[in-house]
Amino acid sequence: MKRILLMALLLTALLPNTHAEEHYGILSITGDFGQVEIQNVGVFQTPITLALPAGNYTIKAEGEVEFQVKVFLNTSKLIKITLKTPRGTLIEGNASILKTKITYNSWSNHPIHNETPHLGLGGGCGGGWSPSYWVDHPYPLTALDKGDTLAVFMLNNSFTRCVINGEPVGQIFHVIAGPSFQGGGAIAGNASFVVPFSRVDVDCDVKYSTGYLYSVSTSSMVTPFTILLPVVPQEVHNVTGVDYYGNIILIKRIPKIDTYNLSVGAKQYLLTSVIKLKPNEHYRLKYHLKTAMKAITIEEEPVKLYDVTLTSEPDEAHFKITGRVTVEGTTPQTLNLPEGEYEVIAFKNNTGAKTAFKIPENESVHLKLTPLPARLTLNTTPENARILVDGEPIENSTLTLPPGEHHIHASAPHYTPENLTILLAPNESKSLTIRLKPLPLLRIETTPKGARVEIENKTCTTPCSVELTPGEHVLRAFLEGYENETTQIHLKPGDNTTITLTLKKIKETPKEENTTLTPTPKEETKPSPNPKEEANITIKLLTPLLILILTIVMLKLKKR
């Protein structure tokens, strides 16, 4: 028994500690985006360099183009991320592009093919490979390969025209889709609404790259490719149709579906556009994926890190370290930091402490928290700005505050509000200047004038000016006799921008046959008369004429 106990103690001593300290890596973010969000970490002003525990991180940056970067931070590695506004057009074409996004994902591998796939599919109505793709968010769609470079997306539980050689034809069927199949039944007639298609031709400057609708791709979606998409501008209710057995099919609701996320990807990069479509239209889009790849650059290099243990009195104080890198946490904690000079502030319950240290000279740092207050002086523009500090309004521009982190909110009518965070050390005096920027002003002009424009909950008649919040805005213009126009604009604080929309006249076209299918009645034809009836009709018509001629001849003979 003693031997067993001794062996157990020996093994326990030799085995690694299961409560091992966290290992860190360094994440550096630079570029021309003023602010970035690191998911589950915080929002930071760039440039920023952070010491973070090894693991997965997602970085987001908003602007005219949205950026998303997903990386794995390795132990003792420095990952440098540079985000730059793209130089040149990312996506061009004749569709309404509502949003553009560039995604870098270190775990993805969007394949680049050697050539156009050769699927050998027939062009018949029922032909086409149905891969196991099922999109239920945001729409219940099913995908079909209908050729080497043609994919058709169909809306489940709807009436749809058959597609042959890339064109919808007369035959109609009821689409029934599931996780790994697409089927349906033919409709004999009297379909009250048939979902129209729009065609989108997609090309890319990276040849044979892969296309995606939301997260779905088919074998035929290799650039250049074509997709047919259902487009329903308004929700439709109580749609009926009659199958070949005479049974009435009732579809209670066909959802509105006219906006899609369409992407092209290669390697770790994905370029996405949010497009708004109109029914029965032909669109062409060209993706500049090479331009997108230049907008996000990722570099990784080894970095030597040293252990430093941070403690405080009392424990469980929040700390923030600044210097070569920035790191936050709660004491006590052992960190891995690169060589350099640093400053640390720790605070808890209106007490705080501040000290400087060097790496690798200092292997431990201890902070004794004291209740010494700090002084903050605020200078604001405009002068009538309303200031909240930690959620409470202030009356004076000079404040006495406990050491630690404080949140400041500044706002004023017709100005863009700002949120700031400031870190104060015990007995520190600091001044902060806040200059609010005016709200963006957008002037909208249309050709012709007099269009009604909707922007979120605001409306005006062109030409007009609207004060808006910073960020993305979708504009919709309406004018009787003209097609509706939709566009998107990104506004920054202080912008004074003019946008001009050219509206197209509505073409006068006959009513589309694909909305209502009513069997055309056969033309009534009169029976052809037989030969005897034709002879009788001829005699009846000629008799009065012969009598008249004979009368005239008799009168002339009497005169002689």
Side-chain angles (χ1 to χ4, degrees):
M1 186 67 183
K2 289 182 179 179
R3 288 182 181 179
I4 295 173
L5 182 60
L6 287 171
M7 288 180 65
L9 290 171
L10 182 60
L11 285 170
T12 303
L14 293 174
L15 286 173
N17 186 357
T18 56
H19 300 286
E21 296 167 351
E22 283 187 306
H23 294 283
Y24 283 72
I26 309 300
L27 182 64
S28 172
I29 305 171
T30 60
D32 48 16
F33 283 84
Q35 184 174 280
V36 295
E37 177 191 354
I38 304 176
Q39 203 165 355
N40 301 322
V41 177
V43 177
F44 303 90
Q45 298 294 320
T46 58
I48 184 73
T49 302
L50 301 169
L52 296 170
N56 301 324
Y57 291 91
T58 298
I59 298 95
K60 295 181 179 180
E62 296 282 350
E64 293 183 24
V65 178
E66 182 182 338
F67 283 70
Q68 186 178 75
V69 179
K70 296 184 178 183
V71 293
F72 180 80
L73 189 59
N74 293 291
T75 302
S76 299
K77 289 288 181 69
L78 168 62
I79 293 181
K80 297 179 182 178
I81 300 174
T82 305
L83 307 176
K84 291 184 178 179
T85 302
R87 297 184 178 275
T89 303
L90 285 172
I91 304 168
E92 57 182 335
N94 59 340
S96 294
I97 300 174
L98 304 182
K99 197 169 187 178
T100 306
K101 180 178 179 180
I102 304 173
T103 302
Y104 175 92
N105 188 343
S106 61
W107 300 279
S108 64
N109 182 21
H110 305 293
I112 301 175
H113 303 266
N114 295 324
E115 58 181 7
T116 300
H118 301 289
L119 304 178
L121 299 175
C125 184
W129 168 246
S130 180
S132 300
Y133 293 122
W134 175 240
V135 183
D136 53 3
H137 297 290
Y139 308 113
L141 296 171
T142 184
L144 283 176
D145 287 313
K146 298 292 285 187
D148 291 349
T149 59
L150 173 65
V152 180
F153 286 81
M154 296 182 180
L155 188 62
N156 184 32
N157 194 25
S158 67
F159 296 135
T160 303
R161 288 194 180 278
C162 171
V163 175
I164 297 178
N165 297 326
E167 294 295 333
V169 295
Q171 187 176 347
I172 295 171
F173 60 95
H174 179 211
V175 178
I176 302 170
S180 60
F181 69 89
Q182 184 274 319
I187 301 299
N190 297 322
S192 61
F193 179 79
V194 179
V195 172
F197 283 110
S198 282
R199 172 180 174 142
V200 183
D201 294 334
V202 182
D203 203 355
C204 181
D205 59 358
V206 178
K207 204 170 184 181
Y208 306 134
S209 50
T210 306
Y212 301 87
L213 188 73
Y214 298 100
S215 58
V216 172
S217 183
T218 72
S219 299
S220 58
M221 291 175 68
V222 175
T223 59
F225 64 88
T226 297
I227 55 174
L228 296 185
L229 298 173
V231 181
V232 182
Q234 299 295 335
E235 204 169 83
V236 184
H237 296 272
N238 298 321
V239 177
T240 58
V242 180
D243 66 17
Y244 273 97
Y245 300 101
N247 301 313
I248 295 176
I249 300 172
L250 172 63
I251 302 171
K252 291 186 176 181
R253 173 182 171 269
I254 294 180
K256 175 183 177 181
I257 173 170
D258 61 356
T259 305
Y260 289 96
N261 282 33
L262 184 59
S263 309
V264 171
K267 299 179 180 178
Q268 283 75 43
Y269 292 87
L270 192 70
L271 178 56
T272 303
S273 67
V274 179
I275 56 174
K276 187 177 179 67
L277 307 179
K278 297 176 182 178
N280 303 306
E281 292 287 342
H282 186 178
Y283 298 97
R284 295 175 178 84
L285 293 174
K286 177 69 178 286
Y287 284 69
H288 295 275
L289 195 52
K290 291 179 181 178
T291 303
M293 290 176 171
K294 293 176 182 177
I296 300 177
T297 56
I298 311 290
E299 297 177 83
E300 184 178 302
E301 60 185 53
V303 61
K304 189 172 183 179
L305 301 179
Y306 299 87
D307 288 347
V308 57
T309 300
L310 196 66
T311 58
S312 69
E313 184 183 336
D315 280 343
E316 297 184 355
H318 185 81
F319 68 84
K320 185 171 184 179
I321 295 174
T322 55
R324 183 177 173 184
V325 300
T326 300
V327 60
E328 293 186 55
T330 303
T331 61
Q333 192 164 345
T334 298
L335 306 171
N336 308 131
L337 300 179
E339 183 178 357
E341 296 183 357
Y342 295 92
E343 186 176 80
V344 58
I345 297 177
F347 49 92
K348 180 182 181 180
N349 297 335
N350 297 333
T351 63
K354 177 182 178 180
T355 190
F357 64 95
K358 292 182 179 180
I359 298 293
E361 286 85 346
N362 297 102
E363 296 181 356
S364 63
V365 177
H366 182 74
L367 298 107
K368 187 173 182 179
L369 278 59
T370 60
L372 295 174
R375 182 181 292 266
L376 176 64
T377 302
L378 297 173
N379 301 302
T380 59
T381 303
E383 292 182 357
N384 66 336
R386 183 170 184 260
I387 307 296
L388 300 178
V389 176
D390 298 328
E392 297 292 330
I394 63 167
E395 296 180 359
N396 301 316
S397 58
T398 301
L399 309 169
T400 299
L401 297 169
E405 204 168 50
H406 297 278
H407 303 285
I408 300 170
H409 175 80
S411 62
H414 309 293
Y415 284 83
T416 303
E418 270 200 42
N419 291 292
L420 304 167
T421 299
I422 190 168
L423 188 63
L424 299 175
N427 207 28
E428 180 181 21
S429 293
K430 187 175 281 189
S431 294
L432 179 64
T433 299
I434 303 173
R435 292 188 178 90
L436 298 181
K437 294 181 179 179
L439 286 170
L441 187 65
L442 179 65
R443 179 172 174 79
I444 308 157
E445 298 177 353
T446 59
T447 304
K449 299 177 182 179
R452 179 172 61 89
V453 176
E454 294 181 357
I455 313 168
E456 279 89 36
N457 59 345
K458 297 184 178 182
T459 60
C460 67
T461 302
T462 60
C464 57
S465 296
V466 182
E467 194 176 66
L468 298 167
T469 56
E472 301 288 338
H473 294 277
V474 177
L475 286 70
R476 295 180 175 87
F478 309 88
L479 185 61
E480 189 174 349
Y482 290 81
E483 294 182 9
N484 299 340
E485 187 65 33
T486 303
T487 190
Q488 186 185 38
I489 189 169
H490 181 85
L491 297 174
K492 299 175 183 176
D495 278 353
N496 193 334
T497 306
T498 299
I499 187 171
T500 303
L501 302 175
T502 302
L503 306 180
K504 297 178 182 178
K505 275 192 172 183
I506 295 175
K507 297 176 183 178
E508 293 185 3
T509 55
K511 288 185 179 180
E512 299 202 11
E513 296 177 0
N514 67 342
T515 55
T516 303
L517 290 181
T518 303
T520 306
K522 294 181 180 179
E523 294 184 6
E524 294 183 5
T525 54
K526 296 180 179 180
S528 301
N530 58 41
K532 287 184 179 180
E533 287 176 341
E534 288 182 354
N536 290 336
I537 292 170
T538 303
I539 291 169
K540 287 178 181 179
L541 292 172
L542 292 177
T543 298
L545 183 59
L546 289 171
I547 293 171
L548 180 60
I549 294 170
L550 287 171
T551 304
I552 294 171
V553 172
M554 292 296 291
L555 289 172
K556 285 186 179 182
L557 289 173
K558 283 182 180 181
K559 287 180 180 181
R560 289 182 182 178

